[in-house]
Amino acid sequence: MTSGPVRQIPWGWRSMWVIAMFDLPTDTAKARKAYARFRKALLRDGFTMMQYSVYIRHCASIENAKIHVTRIGHCVPSAGEVRFLTITDKQFGRIETYVGKMRQTAPAPPAQLEFF
């Protein structure tokens, strides 16, 4: 008895992480206000701070991740630079964190489910 071809899970069903990394000027009052608006947009969109100027967001799929990158991309101030990195949940799980010379374990992925 032979079985049919192995069915692959489509790429769109993979859990993803979006990492936003930015350098924004804060040398003037206007620049600080633009920085604060951008940071608040990240937080409203579900991003959390991983470290200074690095925010992360869990997404259910690559399509969902693209939506969030586009949304936040429209909020980027005219001065400064923002980069978005999208990685799979498995890749995110391989992050190694060192504080000083001591290795820290990676934070557990969120226990919540997202419904769209």
Side-chain angles (χ1 to χ4, degrees), residues 9-53:
I9 296 174
W11 175 257
W13 291 101
R14 283 195 183 173
S15 180
M16 304 295 291
W17 287 88
V18 176
I19 303 171
M21 304 168 283
F22 55 92
D23 287 319
L24 300 176
T26 56
D27 53 342
T28 66
K30 184 177 177 181
R32 284 189 296 277
K33 191 171 185 176
Y35 170 90
R37 272 195 308 266
F38 179 72
R39 185 179 173 281
K40 287 178 184 177
L42 283 169
L43 296 173
R44 275 193 310 270
D45 198 54
F47 283 79
T48 57
M49 187 170 77
M50 185 175 194
Q51 63 186 58
Y52 292 121
S53 299

Side-chain angles (χ1 to χ4, degrees), residues 72-90:
I72 296 301
H74 291 299
C75 299
V76 173
S78 58
E81 185 175 311
V82 179
R83 295 173 192 256
F84 296 98
L85 176 64
T86 306
I87 61 174
T88 65
D89 193 49
K90 187 173 183 177

